[in-house]
Amino acid sequence: NSRQSVGAITIDVETGSDAFLNLGDEWRDLYRRSGCPMFLSWEWISEWNRSFGAGSSPYLIKTYRGEQLIGIFPLRRVERKVLGITVTEFRFAGDEYGGADYLDLIAAQGDVQEVRSATMEFLRTNVGFDVLRLENIAADSPTLASLSTGMGEKPRLQIDTSTVCPQIDLGGGWEAVLRQGRRGSNFKRRLKQLERMPGFEFRSVTAPEQLGKAFDRFLILHQGRWASHGGSELSGSPRLISFQRDLMTSLAETGLLRFDELWVGGECRSSVYGMDDGTTFYYYNAGYDQEWSMYSVGLVLTGLSIKSAIERGNRTFDFLRGEETYKYDWANNERELVTAILARPTLATWAYLTADGFGGRLRAAAKSVLPAQLAEPLKRWRRRSKRTFGLPEFDAE
């Protein structure tokens, strides 16, 4: 039985090829009441499922109070062979490809604790899985603490740090950001240099009818930046680019999308692709004209984007996953992302954890023995070879 009721709370599951279509309006309404990041919006996850969902089945655990949807746990079911044994794995819809961070339970504000409790009880009693694997969930998410509570089969819960998201607390204002950052003086000097050039302009593109062209400008700059590195998490394969273009269409009317641009001499020299929910600006990706790198156009645009976010009333500027130096030139905070694996004591689970552990040890060993001068060329080769076979590559190693 996939339906469970406790008082006014009802838990049910949406599955099948039309799962996202059936929930579109309710999901959008719930998202507006949730305060969740845009990676948990209906537009993002449904588009992800259409682009990358082949080989898995949607398994959306829904929580209702009466007739109103107050929570969704957006999972997908995957059957895979590991060491010759079939493993039933549940994982987030929206993970692996596309760079979604902070995946988690979606719940209306004020209902989070009740939704989480009901959802976890449903998982314990109604969902048959060998492994529940939750990637890119925040380390401070209460969902993690509730995962194994009440599981009578003595499951194994393994939580591993995957990466961090550098952030800026904008509460102190723009001058405070400049003082505490590592590049404040350099930013000011480079900005003055660029302001003296003809056609200098900082632009923000948010109008739905202009987003397509802004994305095209961004993509040209972004691909130029990554061309010699085997492609990026966003542009490393045609499927990833197609996903992004379709996402533009889906998200255009939500008001979440924003392209901050730096123009000089009649051309866009740098672009930041981000999302703004009114509280947090998410710096999703960026690109800049390689021929203008001597003028630090990327640094200047990042600073202007931060300043603009403060002026709009944002409280946080989130660089999302990755420990690149340029992020820490500005960041004064960070949020950790983890991978949580909840495994029931089955033969299939043993095979899964054995294979997963071996793969992790193998990658760690390779990192430790490969000289630095060979490690980067190897990563580039892996990116290119995966694109040759039509598979997205987004290794953050």
Side-chain angles (χ1 to χ4, degrees), residues 354-388:
T354 299
D356 189 64
F358 175 75
R361 290 193 299 272
L362 190 62
R363 287 189 293 272
K367 281 184 178 181
S368 67
V369 300
L370 276 176
Q373 62 267 32
L374 291 181
E376 180 58 30
L378 178 60
K379 284 193 285 186
R380 295 179 191 178
W381 175 82
R382 289 173 61 200
R383 292 189 185 106
R384 294 191 183 102
S385 64
K386 284 206 172 189
R387 284 207 310 280
T388 301

Side-chain angles (χ1 to χ4, degrees), residues 107-158:
Q109 292 182 2
D111 295 320
V112 178
Q113 187 172 347
E114 190 173 15
V115 169
R116 182 177 292 112
S117 177
T119 300
M120 293 303 131
E121 175 63 22
F122 185 84
L123 272 173
R124 287 190 287 269
T125 59
N126 289 68
V127 182
F129 62 85
D130 297 306
V131 176
L132 175 67
R133 183 185 185 100
L134 305 180
E135 293 188 357
N136 297 324
I137 185 170
D140 57 4
S141 170
T143 299
L144 294 175
S146 63
L147 275 179
S148 59
T149 303
M151 285 274 189
E153 303 171 9
K154 295 183 179 179
R156 173 179 174 181
L157 178 60
Q158 176 179 317

Side-chain angles (χ1 to χ4, degrees), residues 321-341:
R321 77 177 77 163
E323 302 176 58
E324 294 87 349
T325 301
Y326 75 88
K327 296 180 180 181
Y328 284 99
D329 287 339
W330 298 95
N332 57 18
N333 195 13
E334 63 182 20
R335 196 174 181 194
E336 191 175 71
L337 298 180
V338 300
T339 294
I341 300 175

